[in-house]
């Protein structure tokens, strides 16, 4: 089925380890986004990408790295995980620029850093 | 300062009651967009509506309606005759040129509909 898929859905890791969360979309949407969701904060933008090989920082980029070599994939890497990065991570895609258009979200990846 | 405020952290009503979720926003721009998203217990966020700043007409979609008032910087969401399936967290969000049109999210309102 077409859509946006995230993997893994659940991940437990230890402080200092590298973790990569994968995001794949089948719509060929230009824009892709990574958000984290924490209680009381709503969603906060980590990084976004306007097209392949174009990425930009969001509100909370520190400690995260992204890449987008192909339009359909937008992995998020925590190079050295910290407990403060325990969160639910959502990937999203959009046809149009910024947030003028509707965002389509994945199911989320719940990350626990011990 | 909060740019999108959803003052109601949690609301609980009995099925068939009407319920209104409040959203107040701040922006310097004259062109901006307002959104509502629903996050059911399954976790995936679902788009409900987008409104641009030049269109203050209220919108109705089935049991859902939205009241946009620029004078009070509010974009409230009403569910009429609520149902258990409406139980979810609802997010209001703002997109403005000043923030490069990136969505700025409220903290969400958890809506519980009791049978």
């Amino acid at each position: 089925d077409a859509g946006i898929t995230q993997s893994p859905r659940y991940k437990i890791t230890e402080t200092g380890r590298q973790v990569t969360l994968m995001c794949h979309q089948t719509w060929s949407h230009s824009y892709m986004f990574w958000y984290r969701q924490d209680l009381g904060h709503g969603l906060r933008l980590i990084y976004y990408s306007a097209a392949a090989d174009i990425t930009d920082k969001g509100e909370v980029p520190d400690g995260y790295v992204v890449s987008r070599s192909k339009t359909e994939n937008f992995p998020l890497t925590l190079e050295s995980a910290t407990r403060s990065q325990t969160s639910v991570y959502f990937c999203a895609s959009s046809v149009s620029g910024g947030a003028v258009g509707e965002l389509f979200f994945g199911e989320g990846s719940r990350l626990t850093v011990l | 300062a909060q740019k999108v405020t959803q003052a109601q952290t949690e609301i609980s009503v009995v099925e068939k009651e009407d319920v209104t979720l409040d959203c107040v926003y701040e922006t310097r721009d004259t062109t901006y967009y307002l959104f509502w998203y629903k996050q059911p217990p399954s976790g995936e966020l679902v788009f409900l509506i987008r409104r641009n700043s030049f269109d203050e007409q209220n919108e109705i979609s089935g049991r859902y309606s939205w009241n946009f008032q620029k004078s009070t910087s509010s974009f409230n969401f009403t569910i009429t005759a609520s149902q258990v399936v409406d139980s979810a967290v609802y997010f209001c969000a703002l997109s403005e040129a000043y923030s490069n049109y990136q969505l700025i999210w409220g903290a969400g309102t958890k809506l519980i509909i009791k049978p």
Side-chain angles (χ1 to χ4, degrees):
Chain A
D1 285 340
I4 185 164
T5 55
Q6 293 182 229
S7 62
R9 294 288 315 281
Y10 302 91
K11 176 75 176 179
I12 300 174
T13 192
E14 295 178 338
T15 301
R17 291 193 180 264
Q18 180 174 295
V19 176
T20 295
L21 305 180
M22 304 301 293
C23 179
H24 175 79
Q25 54 113 347
T26 60
W27 291 302
S28 298
H29 286 170
S30 295
Y31 283 77
M32 295 188 75
F33 306 83
W34 273 107
Y35 287 92
R36 60 177 289 172
Q37 182 178 23
D38 304 289
L39 201 61
H41 287 279
L43 278 80
R44 292 182 291 176
L45 182 64
I46 304 170
Y47 270 95
Y48 67 100
S49 168
D53 297 322
I54 301 174
T55 62
D56 209 347
K57 296 178 180 179
E59 181 186 354
V60 290
D62 293 343
Y64 303 96
V65 174
V66 293
S67 62
R68 194 161 176 213
S69 57
K70 293 183 178 182
T71 299
E72 60 267 29
N73 296 324
F74 191 40
L76 175 74
T77 298
L78 290 67
E79 292 191 307
S80 179
T82 64
R83 288 183 182 169
S84 64
Q85 292 177 310
T86 292
S87 186
V88 181
Y89 292 86
F90 285 96
C91 180
S93 69
S94 175
V95 172
S96 56
V100 173
E102 173 184 353
L103 291 185
F104 295 85
F105 283 85
E107 294 177 301
S109 295
R110 183 176 293 274
L111 176 66
T112 302
V113 183
L114 301 175
Chain B
Q2 284 271 45
K3 301 206 84 170
V4 180
T5 302
Q6 295 181 256
Q8 305 146 309
T9 305
E10 184 174 305
I11 301 175
S12 181
V13 300
V14 177
E15 197 173 22
K16 297 183 184 175
E17 287 185 11
D18 298 348
V19 58
T20 295
L21 309 182
D22 297 333
C23 175
V24 174
Y25 62 92
E26 295 176 41
T27 182
R28 313 177 189 183
D29 286 326
T30 55
T31 301
Y32 55 90
Y33 299 82
L34 294 163
F35 300 78
W36 277 96
Y37 280 81
K38 174 181 180 180
Q39 185 178 37
S42 60
E44 187 174 339
L45 286 98
V46 177
F47 167 85
L48 294 178
I49 190 171
R50 180 188 73 204
R51 211 20 137 216
N52 74 57
S53 52
F54 299 106
D55 182 3
E56 279 193 82
Q57 282 191 347
N58 291 336
E59 176 143 349
I60 298 174
S61 176
R63 295 183 297 104
Y64 294 174
S65 62
W66 290 268
N67 181 257
F68 176 29
Q69 291 195 334
K70 290 174 77 170
S71 60
T72 56
S73 296
S74 64
F75 186 44
N76 297 337
F77 173 31
T78 297
I79 301 175
T80 303
S82 60
Q83 300 176 2
V84 172
V85 293
D86 296 326
S87 296
V89 180
Y90 290 87
F91 291 95
C92 180
L94 165 72
S95 161
E96 55 179 5
Y98 182 75
S99 302
N100 198 28
Y101 290 111
Q102 295 313 312
L103 276 174
I104 303 161
W105 297 79
T109 296
K110 184 176 183 179
L111 178 62
I112 300 169
I113 310 296
K114 298 177 188 175

